[in-house]
Amino acid sequence: MSQFRETADKALKMLRTLPRVQIGNIRPNPQSKQNDKRGRAQHGGDKHGAGNKGSGQRQNFMRLGYETGNTPFYMRFPYEPYYKGHHLRRQYPPISLLQLQVMIDTDRIDISQPIDLTTLCNTGLVKIDPATKEFGFQLTDEGADKFKAKINIEVQHAKESVIAAIERNGGVIRTAYYDPRSLHALKNPQKWFEKGVPIPKRMLPPQDAIAYYTSAENRGYLADPEEISKHRLVLAQKYGYELPKIEDDPQYEMLTSSKDPRQLFYGLEPGWVINLKDQCIIKSKGYPSST
């Protein structure tokens, strides 16, 4: 009896010292709960319980780069595209002498008339986009040994070997600059004339391009004609061919035909309005005609 009373006193004493029974300090007995769910191989584990994906579905880990949500992190922040469409350097899409010869052989280009940017765009095989800083065409020397045509051509950039290949056949080449507004008119003249606006003046080259287009070695359209004649002879001696005399050529008028530095189209002056519907030209007296 005394032993029972002593045990009861100990129990009451322990209850006085223990904290009150609350939800926060109730714990189940060890091993009292058993997990009866069967694992599902590589898709098993506690990450695929009832509150997550189904037992047979793939675990939903974030794809690389999509940690910030459905939009990748590299599209959530502004960036600066430094090249395509936003670069500052002028671009000149290439046309090879081989391509030019094929265009001539397939009657896409009439060599009895001067060839310029409009002529090349009208072939439908090449095009330019001034909105992406394309300022015209550069003529490359691919197929220079097979080029046989005698032409009067105007491009925006050309190497020395290209100039030699054209002048060796008795042709004439010039490099000329066109500003973006002029390029829009030249690449599709019909669309420009349909607007009913005057033909614009061609702007002069920017400061970093003046040296190129005033150089007789580059056959720049702003170079001195006498200097160009001297460099034609120098280039013929350098590449070892006899320079044909343009003065004795039956196509002398076509070969020597050139544009005024402010002119866009052969035979049409800045300020004129071309009326395609009535097929007439409204001439302006504000700009002197080139001779």
Side-chain angles (χ1 to χ4, degrees):
M1 189 68 180
S2 60
Q3 185 178 2
F4 177 76
R5 190 176 294 167
E6 185 178 352
T7 303
D9 292 340
K10 286 182 179 180
L12 290 171
K13 187 177 180 181
M14 186 175 63
L15 285 172
R16 292 189 189 99
T17 58
L18 288 174
R20 281 183 83 172
V21 178
Q22 298 175 354
I23 294 178
N25 56 23
I26 294 177
R27 297 289 183 273
N29 293 329
Q31 305 298 327
S32 62
K33 286 190 175 182
Q34 296 291 335
N35 186 10
D36 57 352
K37 289 197 67 174
R38 184 166 62 90
R40 296 286 181 178
Q42 62 179 340
H43 301 296
D46 49 4
K47 292 184 179 178
H48 289 273
N52 297 299
K53 291 286 185 182
S55 58
Q57 296 184 9
R58 187 182 300 274
Q59 188 170 348
N60 186 23
F61 286 122
M62 284 288 182
R63 286 185 293 166
L64 203 61
Y66 285 79
E67 293 83 356
T68 56
N70 290 332
T71 306
F73 74 92
Y74 54 82
M75 294 182 65
R76 292 173 65 93
F77 306 102
Y79 72 103
E80 179 68 26
Y82 288 100
Y83 185 73
K84 187 62 178 176
H86 294 270
H87 50 83
L88 298 177
R89 295 188 61 185
R90 290 182 292 275
Q91 303 298 307
Y92 300 96
I95 297 177
S96 67
L97 287 171
L98 181 61
Q99 288 177 281
L100 186 61
Q101 184 67 59
V102 171
M103 293 178 191
I104 294 171
D105 294 341
T106 55
D107 294 331
R108 289 180 178 267
I109 292 179
D110 182 11
I111 61 173
S112 65
Q113 300 294 329
I115 301 170
D116 62 353
L117 190 144
T118 300
T119 308
L120 295 172
C121 288
N122 284 342
T123 63
L125 301 178
V126 292
K127 61 180 181 179
I128 60 168
D129 185 8
T132 57
K133 300 294 183 182
E134 292 180 354
F135 278 73
F137 297 108
Q138 61 169 318
L139 202 56
T140 63
D141 56 0
E142 181 185 0
D145 54 338
K146 299 179 181 179
F147 189 77
K148 303 300 180 182
K150 180 170 60 176
I151 58 175
N152 177 4
I153 188 170
E154 178 189 81
V155 291
Q156 283 62 61
H157 200 277
K159 295 166 57 176
E160 184 183 75
S161 56
V162 174
I163 297 173
I166 291 176
E167 293 181 348
R168 180 184 58 202
N169 298 327
V172 174
I173 182 173
R174 292 180 187 82
T175 55
Y177 171 82
Y178 291 96
D179 58 281
R181 187 164 182 257
S182 300
L183 291 170
H184 278 289
L186 282 168
K187 73 173 186 176
N188 194 341
Q190 181 177 352
K191 185 176 180 181
W192 182 269
F193 296 155
E194 287 174 351
K195 295 179 181 179
V197 296
I199 300 174
K201 286 183 182 181
R202 183 176 11 166
M203 304 302 291
L204 294 175
Q207 192 67 33
D208 58 343
I210 287 180
Y212 183 86
Y213 291 111
T214 55
S215 171
E217 295 181 5
N218 300 325
R219 304 302 187 264
Y221 74 116
L222 298 177
D224 185 0
E226 294 184 2
E227 290 294 321
I228 291 179
S229 298
K230 293 179 183 178
H231 282 282
R232 281 170 57 89
L233 182 59
V234 169
L235 193 63
Q237 294 173 348
K238 180 178 180 180
Y239 280 81
Y241 61 85
E242 185 177 353
L243 184 66
K245 292 183 178 180
I246 300 178
E247 297 81 4
D248 301 334
D249 197 289
Q251 296 179 317
Y252 174 77
E253 186 176 349
M254 184 275 295
L255 292 174
T256 56
S257 178
S258 62
K259 299 178 185 177
D260 185 83
R262 293 287 194 172
Q263 191 178 4
L264 296 189
F265 303 102
Y266 285 103
L268 298 177
E269 302 295 340
W272 290 4
V273 178
I274 311 301
N275 189 334
L276 296 179
K277 184 178 180 180
D278 298 334
Q279 296 185 357
C280 65
I281 300 176
I282 304 172
K283 298 183 179 181
S284 172
K285 298 181 179 180
Y287 184 76
S289 61
S290 61
T291 55

